[in-house]
Amino acid sequence: MSQSSNKSPTGYVLTPSGWVHGDIVMEKGSIVRIEGEPVSVPDGSDAPYILPGFIDLHVHGADGVDYAGGEEAIRKFIRFHARSGTVALAPTTSTAPVDVIEKSLACIEAVRNAPLADEPMVLGAHLEGPFINPGKLGAQKDITRTGDAALALRWAAMCRLVVATVAPEIRGGLEVIEALTAKGCRVQVGHSLATFEETDEGFARGLSGFTHLFNGMSGLDHRKPGVAAYALAKGRYAELICDLNHVHPALVLASYRAIPRLFAITDATTSAGCPDGTYHFGGDQPVVKKGLTIMLADGSSLAGSAITMLDAFRNLVSIGLTLAEASEMCSTRQAEYLVLNDFGRLTPGRSASFVVLDRSLQLKAVWIRGVQLGSVDKG
Ligand SMILES: [Zn+2]
């Protein structure tokens, strides 16, 4: 590819100030300018939509592999997600023995430091567990640990941690929250049985978000509010699994109304993009995929999702969000949360990383850093 400028297809480009019927001019992987005419709504032609590429801050795997499978496995699943429009992501660990977590973090860091052309940007890892409440495991293994700030800091030195999931009410939990927050990591409450008051204490000590809101947390009892109630009352940023299965559309809409910067995640695991059958999560935990539902083999819990961010985007539109609102939930808010000046919006100077969708939301093309991917999954 030459270093001279190139152009996106002509379409309706979603910019922070509204739609522009035109195209994106790119140079050296960045947006130089957006040419065309502002329009109030995309109308009157079948030109495609051009939206900021998706960002997934909670994604364990796909395509038969997950974070615990080593560097090539991580490259495989992030490429899978790129083909459905994810341009930046945080590979996510789960509760596992210390050596498995450390090997996985080292591999995530290796991929982050040596990105290939057809890969989305690895922002850093999301550390989910082991500092969580053993009473709210979901699909996490029953080998949780009490909070250990020294261990957390050792991991932060091995790999850039952009997000961590911690239960504030466990012994040592608040110390881990403080230690990782001081390292610039966004620490979220999750897999937690915290009361409203314990959650409040966690936020006073550095928490800034919620991990898969409603799933794996104390809830909404109106006389005994827990973590989910805290999110609705006071939360600013929160993750939500947008498969419409982990959370009913009614609660997706209620939380969208209540939480100013609610954003979508996939929480995708090994079998996303694979046929129905038995797979493994975190290396050795058997899970069964049927359709878009993945359960632990014993049927006791959901075990992540089988969706992509493209599915999440379409699901949000299907329950009534506008394209611009759904795009904000799938890209802009994540970029704000992690202060990513390169992603999340289509403006001059940012990375030329975007998706092209036809009018029925079929994926037509994915561009990452100014280069069009050779193939995409239309989903
Ligand atoms: Zn997860």
Side-chain angles (χ1 to χ4, degrees):
M1 172 128 336
S2 80
Q3 290 298 300
S4 58
S5 64
N6 55 341
K7 275 189 177 191
S8 73
T10 298
Y12 290 99
V13 183
L14 182 61
T15 76
S17 49
W19 296 97
V20 172
H21 185 215
D23 44 49
I24 297 174
V25 181
M26 303 166 261
E27 218 172 272
K28 295 180 185 165
S30 294
I31 299 171
V32 177
R33 63 183 174 277
I34 293 161
E35 293 180 335
E37 292 298 314
V39 292
S40 51
V41 283
D43 215 3
S45 104
D46 57 7
Y49 304 117
I50 301 178
L51 309 174
F54 304 128
I55 302 174
D56 193 356
L57 300 186
H58 191 145
V59 53
H60 299 279
D63 207 8
V65 294
D66 72 12
Y67 75 90
E71 185 177 332
E72 281 315 306
I74 293 166
R75 291 191 188 276
K76 186 178 186 202
F77 87 71
I78 70 174
R79 282 200 294 263
F80 169 88
H81 285 285
R83 290 195 298 273
S84 51
T86 296
V87 300
L89 42 61
T92 305
T93 59
S94 63
T95 301
V98 167
D99 63 316
V100 173
I101 291 177
E102 295 193 344
K103 177 183 157 238
S104 304
L105 292 176
C107 291
I108 293 168
E109 184 68 1
V111 175
R112 184 175 85 85
N113 286 323
L116 302 177
D118 58 347
E119 289 176 356
M121 183 171 183
V122 171
L123 301 165
H126 177 160
L127 180 78
E128 185 179 23
F131 309 122
I132 57 172
N133 193 318
K136 211 64 179 165
L137 289 172
Q140 300 281 310
K141 277 203 192 111
D142 196 5
I143 49 170
T144 62
R145 307 174 73 90
T146 54
D148 183 338
L151 186 57
L153 288 174
R154 186 165 102 207
W155 292 345
M158 293 176 60
C159 176
R160 181 165 191 232
L161 300 181
V162 285
V163 181
T165 296
V166 175
E169 74 280 14
I170 64 168
R171 187 152 52 86
L174 294 173
E175 287 72 25
V176 172
I177 291 167
E178 280 181 339
L180 289 180
T181 301
K183 289 284 168 195
C185 176
R186 288 289 201 175
V187 187
Q188 303 178 161
V189 49
H191 293 283
S192 167
L193 287 167
T195 62
F196 194 90
E197 293 73 22
E198 286 166 335
T199 310
D200 203 39
E201 174 69 8
F203 274 79
R205 302 281 283 270
L207 284 175
S208 51
F210 301 80
T211 293
H212 41 54
L213 178 64
F214 301 119
N215 297 113
M217 60 177 59
S218 49
L220 280 174
D221 187 311
H222 58 289
R223 292 202 183 86
K224 201 164 149 275
V227 177
Y230 191 94
L232 295 180
K234 296 192 166 192
R236 176 159 176 77
Y237 288 98
E239 300 179 344
L240 194 75
I241 303 174
C242 291
D243 62 354
L244 306 185
N245 179 31
H246 279 76
V247 181
H248 189 280
L251 269 295
V252 176
L253 292 172
S255 51
Y256 179 75
R257 190 183 271 200
I259 302 174
R261 313 310 286 165
L262 183 75
F263 60 88
I265 55 162
T266 63
D267 199 7
T269 52
T270 315
S271 59
C274 297
D276 288 358
T278 300
Y279 296 84
H280 289 89
F281 175 47
D284 58 1
Q285 204 172 13
V287 299
V288 176
K289 171 179 186 285
K290 198 171 174 206
L292 286 180
T293 302
I294 305 168
M295 305 285 291
L296 290 180
D298 66 7
S300 63
S301 171
L302 289 167
S305 91
I307 62 165
T308 63
M309 287 299 290
L310 177 63
D311 296 318
F313 176 79
R314 288 176 180 151
N315 285 342
L316 289 167
V317 173
S318 78
I319 62 169
L321 271 66
T322 66
L323 295 171
E325 289 167 342
S327 173
E328 220 185 79
M329 268 193 70
C330 291
S331 183
T332 312
R333 294 175 176 185
Q334 291 88 334
E336 281 180 17
Y337 187 47
L338 297 190
V339 200
L340 307 173
N341 296 320
D342 227 14
F343 292 97
R345 292 181 185 277
L346 299 177
T347 55
R350 290 188 192 235
S351 174
S353 298
F354 54 87
V355 294
V356 181
L357 302 170
D358 73 11
R359 301 302 281 263
S360 52
L361 305 187
Q362 295 292 306
L363 188 62
K364 305 311 280 184
V366 178
W367 292 67
I368 295 183
R369 298 181 291 273
V371 177
Q372 185 177 353
L373 289 193
S375 65
V376 297
D377 291 335
K378 296 188 166 50

